[in-house]
C-alpha cells in the first residue's frame, strides 16, 4: 500500500514539476536572427555552438518547438529596396529551407499552426519565416504575395529605418510618418493572404494606422512595455489594449535594453566610451561590410557583459505580468530576439535556458494552462485566425 502510494505521489510530482510542464507545452519563439549567422558566419546549427544563442542542440534542451526565423534586411548594408535587398531576403529564406531539407530528422519547415503541432508531436523543431522590415517587398504589392508563397507568415513594415510607406520607431522621420495609401494596401494584402502584421519596430503613428486598417489579429513579435522600460521600441498601455482588441498577441522580447528601466541610458554612455575599441575591431577585420559589422558587434557584446548591470528572467516576467494585468493571459507570448542582440539576461542567456522562464511563471502563480498559452498557445491561436474570413 505504502509503496503504491509513494509511486503514485512521485508520478504526480514529476508530472507537475516545472520541467515537465515546460516540455509538455508547445513553445513558439516569434523572433530570432540566427539565419544571418548561417549565411554570414557559416555556422552549423546541428552542432552545439560555443557562441550565439540558438542551435538545434540547445533548442531541444530548452524545449523549443517552433522558431520564427527573422528574415532581416539591414538597410544600411542592403538598401531600403531594390535587387540587393530582395536578394538578401531570398538568400535567408533559402538558408532556412536548406536547413529543413538537409536535416528533416530535426527540422520541419512550417507555415501553419497545424504544421507546428505536427512538428512538436514528432519531436522536431518547426522552422518558420518572418520578414523583418518591408524593404524586400521593394514597394511592390505583388512581392507580398511572392513572399507569402515562399512561406513567409509575418512581416513588420519597417525595421529601424522608415520606408516611404511606413514609419519606424528608430528614426526622426518615423515620428510623423504612419502608413500611406500604399502601406494600407500592403496591410490589406497581408490580411487577404493570411500573413500576420507585426508592429515591432514601427512608429507610434504607424502602429495606430495598422490596428485601424487590419481586419485580422495584429502581433508584436519582439517588443515589451513602455510603462516599465520607456524606449520607443516598446508599446504603451493604450497600444497593448488596442492590439489585444484585434485578438492579437504581444510577444515579449528578452533583450535587457528593452526590458530593464535605465539600461538604455547606461548602454548609450558605455557605447560612447567603447567607440574607439569598436572602430578598431572594425578596421582590423579584413572581411566585407557584413563581417566588419560582426566584428563591431562582438566587441559590444563583450563589453556589455562585463560592464552593464545583469538583468534576470524575472524582469521578462514583469512585462508578461503587466500585459496580463492589462488585457488578460490570452494576449501575451515570447519573442527572444536571440542572435539579434548583443546582450541577454543572465539566466535566460540562450534558448537552452528557456525552462527558467516557465519556472519563474509558475513561481508567480501562473497555472499550467496559462504557461501553455504564454509559451506558444496564444500565437497558435493567432496563426489559425489569419486564414479565417
Ligand atoms: Zn528587431
Amino acid at each position: 500500500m505504502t509503496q503504491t502510494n509513494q509511486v503514485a505521489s512521485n508520478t504526480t510530482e514529476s508530472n507537475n514539476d516545472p520541467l515537465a510542464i515546460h516540455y509538455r507545452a508547445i513553445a513558439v519563439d516569434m523572433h530570432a536572427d540566427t539565419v544571418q549567422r548561417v549565411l554570414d558566419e557559416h555556422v552549423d546549427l546541428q552542432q552545439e555552438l560555443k557562441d550565439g544563442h540558438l542551435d538545434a542542440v540547445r533548442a531541444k534542451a530548452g524545449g523549443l518547438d517552433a522558431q520564427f526565423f527573422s528574415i532581416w534586411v539591414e538597410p544600411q548594408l542592403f538598401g531600403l529596396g531594390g535587387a540587393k535587398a530582395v536578394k538578401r531576403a531570398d538568400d535567408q529564406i533559402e538558408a532556412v529551407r536548406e536547413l529543413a531539407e538537409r536535416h528533416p530528422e530535426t527540422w520541419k519547415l512550417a507555415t501553419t499552426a497545424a504544421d507546428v503541432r505536427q512538428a512538436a508531436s514528432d519531436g522536431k523543431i518547426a522552422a518558420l519565416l518572418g520578414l523583418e522590415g518591408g524593404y524586400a517587398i521593394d514597394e511592390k504589392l505583388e512581392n507580398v504575395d511572392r513572399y507569402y508563397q515562399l512561406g513567409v507568415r509575418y512581416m513588420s513594415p519597417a525595421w529601424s529605418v522608415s520606408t516611404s510607406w511606413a514609419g519606424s520607431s528608430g528614426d526622426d522621420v518615423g515620428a510623423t510618418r504612419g502608413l500611406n495609401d500604399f502601406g494600407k494596401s500592403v496591410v490589406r494584402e497581408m490580411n487577404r493572404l493570411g500573413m500576420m502584421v507585426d508592429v515591432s519596430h514601427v512608429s507610434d503613428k504607424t502602429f495606430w494606422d495598422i490596428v485601424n486598417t487590419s481586419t485580422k489579429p495584429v502581433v508584436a513579435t519582439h517588443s515589451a512595455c513602455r510603462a516599465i522600460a520607456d524606449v520607443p521600441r516598446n508599446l504603451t498601455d493604450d497600444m497593448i489594449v488596442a492590439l489585444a482588441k484585434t485578438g492579437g498577441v504581444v510577444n515579449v522580447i528578452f533583450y535587457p535594453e528593452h526590458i530593464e528601466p535605465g539600461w538604455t541610458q547606461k548602454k548609450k554612455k558605455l557605447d560612447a566610451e567603447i567607440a574607439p575599441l569598436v572602430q578598431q575591431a572594425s578596421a582590423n577585420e579584413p572581411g566585407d561590410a557584413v563581417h566588419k559589422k560582426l566584428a563591431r558587434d562582438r566587441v559590444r557584446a563583450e563589453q556589455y557583459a562585463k560592464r552593464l548591470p545583469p538583468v534576470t528572467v524575472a524582469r521578462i516576467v514583469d512585462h508578461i505580468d503587466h500585459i496580463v494585468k492589462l488585457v488578460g493571459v490570452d494576449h501575451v507570448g515570447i519573442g527572444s530576439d536571440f542572435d539579434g542582440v548583443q546582450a541577454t539576461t543572465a539566466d535566460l542567456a540562450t534558448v537552452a535556458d528557456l525552462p527558467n522562464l516557465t519556472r519563474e511563471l509558475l513561481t508567480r502563480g501562473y497555472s499550467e494552462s496559462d504557461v501553455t498559452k504564454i509559451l506558444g498557445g496564444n500565437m497558435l491561436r493567432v496563426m489559425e485566425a489569419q486564414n479565417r474570413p
Side-chain angles (χ1 to χ4, degrees):
M1 262 310 265
T2 314
Q3 223 175 6
T4 315
N5 279 347
Q6 232 167 20
V7 169
S9 117
N10 282 347
T11 311
T12 312
E13 205 176 294
S14 70
N15 277 342
N16 289 315
D17 73 14
L19 261 187
I21 289 173
H22 181 80
Y23 287 131
R24 266 201 297 275
I26 297 180
V28 182
D29 177 7
M30 289 305 295
H31 197 96
D33 282 283
T34 313
V35 69
Q36 293 130 42
R37 302 201 69 203
V38 176
L39 280 186
D40 301 332
E41 300 173 66
H42 306 289
V43 296
D44 176 6
L45 295 184
Q46 296 306 106
Q47 310 293 320
E48 183 169 359
L49 301 171
K50 287 186 178 61
D51 59 356
H53 309 138
L54 189 139
D55 52 61
V57 180
R58 289 182 289 179
K60 288 261 179 200
L64 183 74
D65 298 287
Q67 182 64 60
F68 268 91
F69 287 102
S70 164
I71 307 303
W72 174 53
V73 174
E74 150 70 285
Q76 280 175 348
L77 297 175
F78 302 97
L80 288 163
K84 211 172 159 189
V86 174
K87 184 177 185 306
R88 179 66 172 172
D90 291 4
D91 286 350
Q92 290 175 71
I93 292 168
E94 187 51 35
V96 176
R97 289 182 161 274
E98 242 182 65
L99 182 70
E101 274 161 28
R102 276 199 202 152
H103 306 285
E105 72 291 353
T106 308
W107 299 93
K108 176 191 169 69
L109 192 72
T111 56
T112 65
D115 290 344
V116 172
R117 291 184 205 280
Q118 187 62 52
S121 83
D122 295 344
K124 296 178 186 180
I125 311 164
L128 300 107
L129 303 167
L131 203 56
E132 180 167 32
Y135 314 111
I137 70 161
D138 195 23
E139 301 189 1
K140 292 181 184 81
L141 204 56
E142 60 265 33
N143 279 338
V144 180
D145 179 65
R146 179 173 168 270
Y147 281 114
Y148 183 85
Q149 301 307 330
L150 287 172
V152 171
R153 286 300 177 269
Y154 75 70
M155 177 169 77
S156 61
W159 177 70
S160 296
V161 185
S162 297
T163 54
S164 65
W165 50 276
S168 164
S169 65
D171 60 10
D172 292 339
V173 70
T176 51
R177 187 172 292 172
L179 291 176
N180 67 4
D181 286 344
F182 175 74
K184 286 174 188 164
S185 69
V186 169
V187 168
R188 282 191 288 268
E189 176 68 353
M190 292 171 77
N191 285 165
R192 185 186 73 81
L193 292 163
M195 188 190 284
M196 294 178 281
V197 187
D198 176 14
V199 297
S200 287
H201 287 288
V202 302
S203 68
D204 289 9
K205 202 162 185 302
T206 305
F207 171 92
W208 291 108
D209 284 345
I210 288 172
V211 293
N212 290 326
T213 304
S214 179
T215 57
K216 302 280 173 69
V218 171
V219 296
T221 61
H222 58 308
S223 292
C225 309
R226 230 180 269 178
I228 299 174
D230 187 11
V231 295
R233 269 281 279 109
N234 284 344
L235 304 174
T236 65
D237 288 359
D238 285 350
M239 288 172 169
I240 294 166
V241 169
L243 187 146
K245 272 192 190 146
T246 72
V249 169
V250 179
N251 294 276
V252 173
I253 189 170
F254 300 171
Y255 181 37
E257 181 169 10
H258 298 341
I259 58 172
E260 180 73 9
W263 209 88
T264 186
Q265 286 85 351
K266 290 182 183 120
K267 175 177 162 286
K268 265 182 202 142
K269 195 166 164 267
L270 181 59
D271 278 336
E273 283 172 41
I274 65 173
L277 262 182
V278 170
Q279 281 319 309
Q280 190 64 52
S282 197
N284 289 348
E285 164 59 49
D288 63 8
V290 170
H291 289 86
K292 284 182 181 294
K293 183 186 178 296
L294 286 170
R296 292 195 296 273
D297 284 347
R298 260 194 298 275
V299 173
R300 290 187 183 113
E302 281 165 23
Q303 294 295 319
Y304 296 167
K306 260 193 255 172
R307 296 170 63 183
L308 288 174
V311 180
T312 69
V313 72
R315 184 60 84 192
I316 298 171
V317 177
D318 289 345
H319 288 263
I320 293 174
D321 271 344
H322 184 80
I323 295 164
V324 170
K325 279 179 190 129
L326 267 179
V327 293
V329 77
D330 293 329
H331 303 284
V332 63
I334 54 170
S336 69
D337 212 3
F338 279 147
D339 288 326
V341 288
Q342 284 80 56
T344 56
T345 59
D347 47 357
L348 184 32
T350 78
V351 64
D353 298 330
L354 202 55
N356 288 341
L357 179 70
T358 294
R359 267 191 205 96
E360 181 67 20
L361 288 167
L362 294 167
T363 302
R364 302 236 189 150
Y366 286 95
S367 66
E368 174 165 8
S369 151
D370 294 338
V371 168
T372 303
K373 286 178 177 184
I374 294 165
L375 288 181
N378 287 334
M379 273 315 307
L380 293 176
R381 181 198 76 229
V382 168
M383 288 173 72
E384 280 160 354
Q386 295 298 316
N387 291 106
R388 259 176 233 135

